[in-house]
Amino acid sequence: MKGNEKLIDVLNSLLADELTAISQYMVHSEMCKNWGYEALHELIEKRAIDEMKHAEKLIGRVLFLEGVPVVSKLKRMTIGKDVQEQLQYDREAEVGAIQAYNDAIQLAGEVKDNVTKHLLEEILLDEDRHIDEMETLLDQIKQMGIQLFLSLQVKE
């Protein structure tokens, strides 16, 4: 089914966001693992896997709409030098993703592609959950201090 070109372009932009997020989260995850924060490593790695699934869905939809998925473009990554900075950068990325998905959902509605709209709404729910997780972790750091927070991220 030939899809709307503008919507395909937006899906490819979202794909670039997801591929960038995967890379940023994997670097942050491995940094946490290297520092011995296994619980954070696992949480961030799981988020990266969620983003991989989003990328897979976007690729599938672009192909269905007879577009060409662009997997060679990444956007700017921001790698944090410590856990708190990582969480802040990751939160900023999710804020941008949520705005981009909301805009894409609106466009999909305007061009009457309700299947794409529904797919984007499903991904948006995951992104909303991701930002909630990050804000919870940042609140914990604020409430208990970074040292206590990090001590809870070490698994025996």
Side-chain angles (χ1 to χ4, degrees):
M1 176 183 122
K2 187 66 177 157
N4 177 281
E5 286 301 320
K6 185 175 179 184
L7 184 57
I8 291 170
D9 289 344
V10 168
L11 293 174
N12 271 317
S13 179
L14 292 170
L15 178 57
D17 288 341
E18 295 293 352
L19 295 172
T20 303
I22 293 164
S23 298
Q24 181 170 317
Y25 293 161
M26 289 306 297
V27 171
H28 286 167
S29 172
E30 290 303 311
M31 288 171 76
C32 287
K33 182 178 182 180
N34 184 58
W35 294 328
Y37 304 131
E38 192 63 30
L40 272 177
H41 159 68
E42 290 173 6
L43 181 70
I44 298 168
E45 183 178 61
K46 182 188 177 307
R47 192 179 323 126
I49 292 168
D50 286 347
E51 304 296 0
M52 288 177 206
K53 291 175 184 174
H54 297 164
E56 180 181 31
K57 289 177 182 180
L58 291 168
I59 290 168
R61 192 64 190 163
V62 168
L63 290 170
F64 179 81
L65 296 174
E66 298 180 20
V68 177
V70 179
V71 295
S72 58
K73 291 185 181 175
L74 292 180
K75 299 201 177 161
R76 184 176 176 269
M77 275 184 277
T78 315
I79 305 302
K81 67 181 179 312
D82 57 44
V83 168
Q84 187 167 358
E85 192 172 78
Q86 289 174 355
L87 291 170
Q88 290 166 338
Y89 289 153
D90 291 352
R91 184 192 173 283
E92 289 170 13
E94 291 293 341
V95 167
I98 287 170
Q99 182 61 53
Y101 276 102
N102 277 311
D103 292 345
I105 289 165
Q106 183 176 355
L107 176 61
E110 289 170 7
V111 301
K112 298 184 178 11
D113 184 341
N114 290 319
V115 174
T116 299
K117 182 180 177 196
H118 179 70
L119 171 74
L120 297 171
E121 288 169 341
E122 287 179 355
I123 295 173
L124 179 60
L125 289 173
D126 285 344
E127 303 297 3
D128 193 53
R129 182 177 43 79
H130 292 166
I131 201 165
D132 186 50
E133 289 171 355
M134 283 179 255
E135 288 177 346
T136 297
L137 294 171
L138 287 165
D139 284 344
Q140 290 174 351
I141 290 170
K142 183 177 177 185
Q143 291 173 20
M144 66 178 73
I146 191 69
Q147 288 80 14
L148 179 56
F149 174 82
L150 291 176
S151 71
L152 297 173
Q153 304 309 313
V154 177
K155 287 187 172 182
E156 297 297 322

